[in-house]
């Protein structure tokens, strides 16, 4: 189980880091309880080598992960019990991993590599944000009823 926890923690920390880079307002909403995972230095040169197809697959997976993050962020924020918050964070991490694994065209390792590379490469962040903006408008805004 410990070997599985490392990718989950890495995915969660990296996803939250990229979200904070792309949307400072969401940084105030989410409060990760996990310690940040060390960045892998090998990804520095690989940032320029990320193909447009991988960026697109990453964007699709990222939107799914973000949806899970938003859902669980609300649940965690509404919970007062520390143990329950920890349980929800564990569930959220598992759901995020499942969302990436279910996304076509990208593996969990590739997803994590792109996230890690984006932390050190503003040009890659820009490419990812452009793909996210292309993908995100397809989602309609929810209608409010009273």
């Amino acid at each position: 189980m410990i070997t599985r926890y490392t990718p989950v923690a890495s995915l969660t920390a990296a996803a939250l880091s990229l979200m904070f880079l792309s949307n400072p307002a969401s940084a105030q909403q989410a409060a990760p309880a996990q310690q940040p995972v060390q960045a892998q230095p090998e990804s520095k040169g690989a940032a320029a080598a990320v193909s447009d197809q991988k960026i697109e697959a990453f964007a699709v997976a990222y939107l799914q992960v973000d949806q899970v993050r938003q859902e669980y962020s609300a649940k965690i924020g509404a919970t007062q019990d520390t143990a329950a918050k920890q349980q929800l964070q564990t569930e959220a991490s598992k759901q995020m991993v499942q969302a990436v694994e279910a996304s076509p065209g990208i593996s969990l390792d590739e997803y994590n590599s792109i996230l890690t590379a984006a932390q050190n490469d503003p040009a890659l962040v820009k490419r990812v944000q452009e793909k996210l903006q292309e993908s995100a408008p397809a989602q309609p805004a929810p209608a409010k009823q009273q």
Side-chain angles (χ1 to χ4, degrees), residues 1-11 33-35 86 90 93:
M1 184 90 183
I2 293 173
T3 57
R4 185 71 175 152
Y5 178 76
T6 302
V8 171
S10 177
L11 173 66
Q34 298 174 340
Q35 294 294 325
Q86 187 69 24
T90 301
S93 295

Side-chain angles (χ1 to χ4, degrees), residues 48-59 127 130-131 134:
V50 179
S51 72
D52 285 340
Q53 290 175 333
K54 286 297 175 188
I55 297 281
E56 189 169 333
F58 172 85
R127 288 174 60 199
E130 288 171 358
K131 286 293 182 187
E134 289 174 13

Side-chain angles (χ1 to χ4, degrees), residues 68-146:
V68 171
R69 182 203 55 84
Q70 289 177 10
E71 175 186 338
Y72 278 90
S73 179
K75 290 179 183 179
I76 291 168
T79 302
Q80 298 298 320
D81 182 37
T82 304
K85 283 186 180 194
Q86 187 69 24
Q87 177 65 30
L88 287 169
Q89 289 171 339
T90 301
E91 287 176 26
S93 295
K94 289 178 184 178
Q95 291 293 322
M96 289 177 185
V97 169
Q98 290 175 354
V100 173
E101 290 174 341
S103 296
I106 194 163
S107 69
L108 184 60
D109 288 339
E110 291 169 326
Y111 184 89
N112 284 331
S113 294
I114 292 171
L115 277 170
T116 302
Q119 291 175 354
N120 299 315
D121 186 349
L124 182 58
V125 171
K126 184 177 180 190
R127 288 174 60 199
V128 168
Q129 287 175 338
E130 288 171 358
K131 286 293 182 187
L132 288 171
Q133 289 173 354
E134 289 174 13
S135 301
Q139 299 175 355
K144 292 185 178 182
Q145 294 180 349
Q146 292 186 358

